[in-house]
Amino acid sequence: MKLICCNFKMNLLKKDIENYLNNINNKIEKERVIFFPSIPYIESFNKENYLVGSQNISFNEFGSITGDTSIHQLKELGITYTIIGHSERRKYFDDDKYISKKINLALNNNIKTILCIGELEKLSEEETNSFLKSEIDQAFLDNINLINENNLIIAYEPIWAIGSGVIPDNNCLNNTISFIKNYIKESYNLNIKVLYGGSVKLDNIDNLEKINIIDGYLIGGASLNPSDILSLQSKIK
Ligand code: PGA
């Protein structure tokens, strides 16, 4: 059963969320579809029917950090997942040190983590692997006593594929995802699930589904449309 993570980013207003919920009503497979709306709308999702996560958490638990939202506040809104290290946050706010602290906080508070990794531009296989290896190590090294096969999932998102409509070919994707899984197994003795993210949509999902080792998808743009997400759900096995 593959996971389907719906990353709304900073899209949709209250009325759009209401329409969205009316459209997906009772049709979502709760055990494998996770919604990541903006913080003001986390409470709009009834947690009896939906799994909900945050797109980020603060690197600190409490205190004077204007504009941040703590893991405890987000837990009160009912999240069970969080995305950490999305490239759009790495670009403006987060470095490896903050990402490592956030993973620590999330896992210590029993919040499942979707850790995003991915290279900025198309690179050779060797360069891609060495870049990913470094992102994995920076996230894992200080948290290895907390990470297990159920509480952390990697989302491999080549940054050049996000929102661009261009995705890696199946052979490359298969090789990169195998590399990530094998590297984590060899270095940390963990079998970690790996999602693919970056321009996943109805017209490429059948092709992506041919890659057996993908454990699910992190979907941005296409997740904003309720009928698309329902069709994607029916195609993702
Ligand atoms: P996209 O976004 O599906 O719109 O490319 C994916 C993501 O950034 O998580």
Side-chain angles (χ1 to χ4, degrees):
M1 190 187 65
K2 292 183 185 164
L3 288 180
I4 304 173
C5 297
C6 303
N7 178 10
F8 288 0
K9 308 192 180 184
M10 208 167 63
N11 297 296
L12 306 183
L13 295 172
K14 191 169 180 206
K15 200 165 161 297
D16 307 315
I17 295 280
E18 283 164 11
N19 286 338
Y20 194 98
L21 287 167
N22 285 336
N23 278 299
I24 58 170
N25 196 16
N26 295 329
K27 296 178 210 132
I28 287 292
E29 295 167 29
K30 181 190 168 178
E31 62 289 351
R32 69 179 187 122
V33 181
I34 308 147
F35 292 97
F36 296 87
S38 298
I39 292 169
Y41 309 123
I42 289 177
E43 278 193 300
S44 307
F45 285 76
N46 179 341
K47 309 307 177 301
E48 279 176 21
N49 302 329
Y50 303 108
L51 289 173
V52 183
S54 61
Q55 298 171 17
N56 178 42
I57 57 170
S58 177
F59 65 93
N60 235 346
E61 262 183 290
F62 306 102
S64 306
I65 305 179
T66 301
D68 256 14
T69 310
S70 83
I71 183 96
H72 303 297
Q73 293 167 327
L74 290 163
K75 275 184 84 167
E76 281 188 342
L77 301 183
I79 65 155
T80 47
Y81 282 80
T82 185
I83 297 173
I84 294 181
H86 190 283
S87 58
E88 288 153 12
R89 293 206 59 87
R90 287 183 192 256
K91 179 171 171 193
Y92 299 111
F93 311 105
D94 287 345
D95 63 12
D96 287 322
K97 193 177 92 221
Y98 283 114
I99 289 166
S100 176
K101 279 179 128 186
K102 289 178 182 195
I103 294 171
N104 191 286
L105 263 183
L107 300 186
N108 265 320
N109 285 283
N110 298 320
I111 295 298
K112 292 188 184 184
T113 295
I114 311 284
L115 169 68
C116 298
I117 59 172
E119 73 283 6
L120 184 59
E121 57 193 356
K122 276 193 190 178
L123 300 171
S124 69
E125 185 172 333
E126 200 182 316
E127 287 167 330
T128 302
N129 292 351
S130 118
F131 181 86
L132 297 175
K133 185 165 161 277
S134 139
E135 285 195 328
I136 292 166
D137 288 340
Q138 298 284 346
F140 274 57
L141 280 173
D142 285 341
N143 294 308
I144 193 57
N145 294 332
L146 291 171
I147 297 174
N148 66 46
E149 296 170 6
N150 294 315
N151 66 10
L152 185 134
I153 295 161
I154 299 255
Y156 169 57
E157 300 204 298
I159 299 172
W160 51 269
I162 295 177
S164 66
V166 183
I167 64 171
D169 68 44
N170 281 18
N171 191 33
C172 285
L173 209 41
N174 189 60
N175 290 348
T176 308
I177 291 181
S178 304
F179 169 79
I180 295 168
K181 291 189 174 192
N182 292 338
Y183 179 69
I184 295 176
K185 178 70 187 165
E186 279 159 22
S187 307
Y188 301 100
N189 197 24
L190 289 167
N191 292 308
I192 292 288
K193 287 198 169 74
V194 180
L195 316 180
Y196 169 72
S199 295
V200 175
K201 38 187 172 197
L202 277 173
D203 63 15
N204 55 30
I205 194 66
D206 291 336
N207 198 38
L208 285 166
E209 278 288 282
K210 292 180 190 150
I211 309 173
N212 293 326
I213 57 170
I214 292 183
D215 297 305
Y217 303 92
L218 179 53
I219 308 175
S223 75
L224 298 173
N225 181 328
S227 77
D228 280 11
I229 208 66
L230 290 172
S231 305
L232 284 163
Q233 176 182 257
S234 71
K235 285 170 173 282
I236 297 170
K237 295 302 168 214

